[in-house]
Amino acid sequence: MSGAQKEAALQALHDRHAAELWRFALRLTHDRQAAEDAVQDVLLRAWNDPGLIDREDAAARAWLFTATRNVIIDRWRSAASRHELQTPDPPAGDQSDNTSVVLDRWLIAEALSSLSAEHRSVISAAYFEGRSVADIATRFRIPEGTVKSRLHYGLRMLKLVLQEKGVTRP
């Protein structure tokens, strides 16, 4: 079949079914533009389907309506129809945005403020100042065993406070 004959056959197919396809698509989409786009997509597929012209009118009509339904379903399932946007992944280790660091510090400072002064001072000395157990014992004039005990129970309380805030898992 020559290009002119194919074009004439597809024009006749369009003339016979395009209006009904558009109404069918409009009933499914409830959107004029979406219905027009679906019908245009189906007619383009018909142009690219070499066997469609050779089918009987009823078979060609069934193919067109099935294809229209499938196009609409595919578009409905696509992320674009659900208004989902793909965004690039956030840069790993980007130092320009310190929001999470600030929030972590704020949460920890708030959690530390709920501890007793003894527990808070020992934890601060060990973890923020980097002091050893012996150094903390000398600084606060308490036995090393007491420093270890305060560290243990202070960290345990800190963990509980952070769990209550929903920051850590139990």
Side-chain angles (χ1 to χ4, degrees):
M1 181 178 284
S2 71
Q5 290 173 328
K6 180 180 177 182
E7 187 175 336
L10 285 171
Q11 183 64 44
L13 192 66
H14 174 271
D15 293 343
R16 284 192 307 270
H17 302 292
E20 291 176 74
L21 278 177
W22 182 79
R23 284 192 297 273
F24 175 70
L26 185 60
R27 277 195 311 269
L28 294 176
T29 62
H30 303 289
D31 181 357
R32 296 177 72 83
Q33 186 61 47
E36 289 175 9
D37 289 346
V39 170
Q40 182 179 10
D41 193 14
V42 168
L43 291 173
L44 180 62
R45 289 180 187 191
W47 176 265
N48 292 326
D49 186 353
L52 186 63
I53 298 169
D54 299 330
R55 295 182 190 164
E56 293 182 17
D57 194 48
R61 176 183 168 88
W63 185 93
L64 289 170
F65 278 86
T66 302
T68 302
R69 179 182 168 276
N70 291 342
V71 164
I72 290 169
I73 289 171
D74 289 346
R75 289 184 181 187
W76 177 75
R77 287 179 179 163
S78 76
S81 71
R82 292 188 310 263
H83 305 292
E84 294 177 7
L85 300 175
Q86 184 175 359
T87 58
D89 292 333
D94 184 17
Q95 298 302 322
S96 63
D97 183 18
N98 293 327
T99 306
S100 64
V101 173
V102 171
L103 289 175
D104 288 346
R105 287 180 182 170
W106 175 70
L107 283 169
I108 292 170
E110 187 176 326
L112 280 170
S113 69
S114 68
L115 300 179
S116 68
E118 292 84 16
H119 289 123
R120 187 172 48 248
S121 62
V122 170
I123 290 173
S124 294
Y127 288 96
F128 296 120
E129 297 173 18
R131 297 181 181 269
S132 67
V133 171
D135 190 25
I136 295 170
T138 305
R139 180 177 178 196
F140 292 115
R141 297 186 180 104
I142 56 176
E144 288 184 21
T146 304
V147 172
K148 291 177 183 179
S149 176
R150 287 182 183 174
L151 277 172
H152 173 77
Y153 288 109
L155 289 173
R156 193 169 160 190
M157 284 300 299
L158 187 62
K159 181 179 178 183
L160 286 173
V161 169
L162 290 171
Q163 284 177 350
E164 288 175 0
K165 293 180 181 297
V167 176
T168 62
R169 294 185 306 206

